[in-house]
Amino acid sequence: MGERERMNLLGLAETSVEGFTDDASAVAEVWCRSAGWTSRPAERTLEGRVVEVLHLADEHLSRLDEYRDYWADSQDAYISLADKIIGETALLALVADRYAGQRPQVRMLVDRLARSLDPLVRSIRNEALIRRYPNSALTLACGHAALTAIGVVGPEFDRLVKSILACDPLDCSERIPFRAMERRWMTGLLYPGMEPSFDDLLPMSIATRPAHPIHMLSTDVYALTHVPMFVTDFGATPAPAAFPHALCRDSLDATAAWVLHTDNFDLMGELVLARELLGAPWTPSHLLAWKTLEHAWDKLGFLASPSFAIKEFTELPVEERASYAFRHIYHTTYVAGMLSAVMLSSASAAQPQVAGPCRLTAAESSALRQECRDAFTAAIEFCTGTPIAHDDIAHLSAVAGQSTGEPPLPAIRRLMSIWGQRDSKATGTVTHVLDKAGLTDAAVASSLADGLLTCAARSYDLAMLADLLRVVTSTGLPVTPTVAAAARFLMRQQLPSGAIGCWFLAPQSGASATTARVTTVLASALGALSTHPGLRECS
């Protein structure tokens, strides 16, 4: 696995909005005008966004044969990049048809796109592959199912796909839960009136676990966002009764807060789309994610995937740039188009009502307070080499957590600035939309703090993590599930000796002055958090 692939797996965007600034017009020229389309002015309407994406999809689809010549490195024996694009384009058409198909311009473009897709989806090549390799039907037949749901039918191809779906060889391929859900969802499209059951798959899914981005790879996040797509039939039906809405909403919210700091517009769009499909309330993190997407789209004229490398683009021959741009922009743009279509049909098209931040229960708060106090005590006793009285621990915790008088949002923005100096891939795009979101300073600060806590934990920057925990306490920001997860992440770095940090696993470092000094600094954040008013009230 190369460095770029590894970074993409970790969900680290290579090129931020600011990185595109000098070359945005060149990329937009290739992306939009090569498809015969001029980028619209800023402040697009939701309908305008849907129309733009459908138009771009149709025009670039007609150039797939040209693009294939430059994608030789991505050709799979069974499923090529072009196959994947064709299927996802059909899905875009389906979602646009469901949620905005009554609008004349959208209707025209959906019909035109579906006609363009028909021979590509139901090609002789696809039929041959499905007959030879039934387990490829899930990917190759997805476009057929989407077109059938739109009303563009292919009876002979339909009979083939249905016969394959019923045969045993289809299941001779190991599938992770959300891919198994996709198969059942696709079957539901082909058999109208049949309601597929997901109850046996949900217990194995990340969407039903207390998943947090501190511990997830971006591949896990994509699984988290895809489950709502399939179990709700892209919002057409309610999620199953067994679906744990609150648990999944917490995971989506925490992940959206993290992605705000990464410029990963793929994940940003899918997280907001998942929230929309579940009918969940807007949270500050989701609203900031949507506003950030809007800002980037309006500023650049496109939304790039994390894999887009501006240097690589500018070094390509002119004739190859369109294929590169499409390859690294289409998925993010399709997601944003689907999201715009779904939002267009709902009350979310107006200014959304935003729910307050997620909070811990009284029992969870009480447990976290005691865990922080115990870890702080063990650390101080390690550093001093002697037992510490309970009253002394309480006093030290209170000193560590006392207010500095700094307001929450300036405090968090100060730490964001420091983080930007430490991490060259840190982005500041979200800061451009803070005043446009209609949120209170406290709500914005809490969302930004949650995201930055996740960044710090994932990068093992325990000093930044500790600074953030202290700021949460000193400014009175709420103890969210992410604050609790970050505190417990820090506690997991505490060794049996009481020292904090994996750097001190080596025996020779155990009793050094550096170990004691670092441990004191990190532990003080846990002591401070144990005095947080939100935890004290629940004790």
Side-chain angles (χ1 to χ4, degrees):
M1 180 181 295
E3 178 64 12
R4 286 187 62 201
E5 289 75 13
R6 185 187 70 80
M7 291 175 64
N8 291 339
L9 187 67
L10 292 171
L12 300 174
E14 286 196 20
T15 309
S16 68
V17 167
E18 299 307 319
F20 273 112
T21 301
D22 295 336
D23 299 283
S25 59
V27 180
E29 176 89 14
V30 168
W31 165 242
C32 298
R33 294 187 184 177
S34 64
W37 179 257
T38 302
S39 182
R40 289 173 176 266
E43 305 301 329
R44 300 167 172 87
T45 64
L46 286 172
E47 182 176 359
R49 295 181 191 277
V50 176
V51 166
E52 179 180 340
V53 175
L54 289 171
H55 183 98
L56 287 163
D58 188 45
E59 294 298 325
H60 281 282
L61 197 67
S62 67
R63 301 185 65 182
L64 272 188
D65 284 340
E66 171 192 339
Y67 294 164
R68 287 177 204 259
D69 293 338
Y70 301 107
W71 294 342
D73 61 318
S74 64
Q75 300 305 311
D76 183 270
Y78 310 119
I79 309 298
S80 68
L81 176 60
D83 292 325
K84 184 172 179 288
I85 289 170
I86 290 167
E88 292 180 10
T89 305
L91 186 56
L92 167 69
L94 172 63
V95 174
D97 177 66
R98 279 187 178 173
Y99 290 99
Q102 75 281 9
R103 298 168 185 266
Q105 197 172 10
V106 174
R107 174 80 272 143
M108 177 191 71
L109 287 168
V110 167
D111 290 344
R112 191 166 79 190
L113 186 56
R115 287 195 300 272
S116 299
L117 283 164
D118 189 11
L120 300 175
V121 166
R122 295 160 179 150
S123 67
I124 292 175
R125 173 183 175 275
N126 283 2
E127 179 174 346
L129 284 172
I130 290 173
R131 290 181 184 279
R132 293 180 63 190
Y133 309 105
N135 57 356
S136 69
L138 183 64
T139 299
L140 293 176
C142 182
H144 163 73
L147 290 184
T148 300
I150 292 173
V152 179
V153 298
E156 292 185 10
F157 202 87
D158 193 64
R159 282 192 288 273
L160 169 65
V161 170
K162 287 179 177 176
S163 69
I164 293 297
L165 287 173
C167 76
D168 291 337
L170 181 67
D171 290 320
C172 294
S173 182
E174 197 73 23
R175 293 195 178 95
I176 57 178
F178 87 87
R179 288 300 181 196
M181 293 177 189
E182 181 183 19
R183 178 198 165 178
R184 294 187 189 178
W185 163 77
M186 187 178 75
T187 304
L189 286 184
L190 295 172
Y191 292 93
M194 185 197 84
E195 295 186 7
S197 173
F198 304 97
D199 288 356
D200 59 322
L201 297 173
L202 283 172
M204 298 182 285
S205 169
I206 193 172
T208 62
R209 309 291 175 86
H212 195 281
I214 283 177
H215 313 293
M216 289 192 284
L217 295 173
S218 64
T219 48
D220 298 321
V221 182
Y222 280 116
L224 176 69
T225 61
H226 278 60
V227 171
M229 297 178 190
F230 301 133
V231 301
T232 69
D233 186 12
F234 282 85
T237 61
F243 188 84
H245 284 269
L247 198 63
C248 187
R249 282 199 304 267
D250 285 356
S251 294
L252 291 171
D253 179 64
T255 308
W258 162 55
V259 173
L260 285 174
H261 296 274
T262 69
D263 272 9
N264 189 324
F265 301 127
D266 260 353
L267 291 183
M268 246 183 237
E270 291 201 3
L271 287 160
V272 181
L273 178 60
R275 182 216 62 79
E276 188 78 3
L277 297 177
L278 291 171
W282 284 89
T283 66
S285 295
H286 277 110
L287 184 57
L288 287 172
W290 169 242
K291 294 294 184 182
T292 301
L293 280 173
E294 285 189 306
H295 171 80
W297 200 346
D298 288 338
K299 181 175 182 180
L300 301 177
F302 57 87
L303 288 171
S305 299
S307 58
F308 197 117
I310 192 67
K311 184 176 184 294
E312 192 171 324
F313 171 83
T314 55
E315 291 176 349
L316 286 172
V318 173
E319 64 272 14
E320 192 175 340
R321 289 183 177 182
S323 67
Y324 182 92
F326 184 69
R327 177 177 181 173
H328 296 282
I329 292 178
Y330 90 89
H331 183 267
T332 308
T333 303
Y334 281 14
V335 170
M338 287 189 282
L339 173 57
S340 298
V342 176
M343 291 175 64
L344 190 58
S345 71
S346 69
S348 296
Q351 183 67 22
Q353 296 297 310
V354 181
C358 302
R359 295 178 183 270
L360 305 184
T361 66
E364 291 169 339
S365 296
S366 180
L368 179 62
R369 177 177 183 269
Q370 190 58 52
E371 290 170 35
C372 288
R373 183 62 60 86
D374 290 345
F376 180 59
T377 300
I380 297 303
E381 291 182 346
F382 163 78
C383 294
T384 61
T386 182
I388 305 295
H390 179 272
D391 289 347
D392 291 336
I393 289 293
H395 173 71
L396 291 172
S397 298
V399 170
Q402 63 187 0
S403 173
T404 61
E406 188 177 18
L409 187 54
I412 297 301
R413 295 192 69 162
R414 172 175 56 80
L415 292 180
M416 283 180 66
S417 178
I418 295 172
W419 178 253
Q421 296 168 16
R422 293 183 186 177
D423 184 355
S424 62
K425 293 182 175 60
T427 64
T429 307
V430 66
T431 61
H432 297 287
V433 304
L434 300 183
D435 296 333
K436 304 174 185 177
L439 298 169
T440 65
D441 284 1
V444 170
S446 181
S447 175
L448 295 177
D450 276 2
L452 203 54
L453 278 165
T454 298
C455 289
R458 289 171 67 90
S459 298
Y460 209 71
D461 190 333
L462 301 189
M464 174 59 74
L465 190 149
D467 284 344
L468 283 159
L469 291 178
R470 276 188 287 269
V471 166
V472 166
T473 301
S474 65
T475 61
L477 287 174
V479 181
T480 63
T482 291
V483 172
R488 290 192 168 107
F489 178 86
L490 183 56
M491 284 185 262
R492 272 199 303 280
Q493 312 317 308
Q494 187 166 44
L495 309 183
S497 65
I500 300 178
C502 289
W503 318 287
F504 307 126
L505 285 169
Q508 64 270 23
S509 65
S512 71
T514 299
T515 305
R517 185 168 60 253
V518 170
T519 296
T520 300
V521 171
L522 299 179
S524 68
L526 298 173
L529 189 61
S530 72
T531 70
H532 192 288
L535 300 187
R536 287 206 305 265
E537 291 167 3
C538 299
S539 59

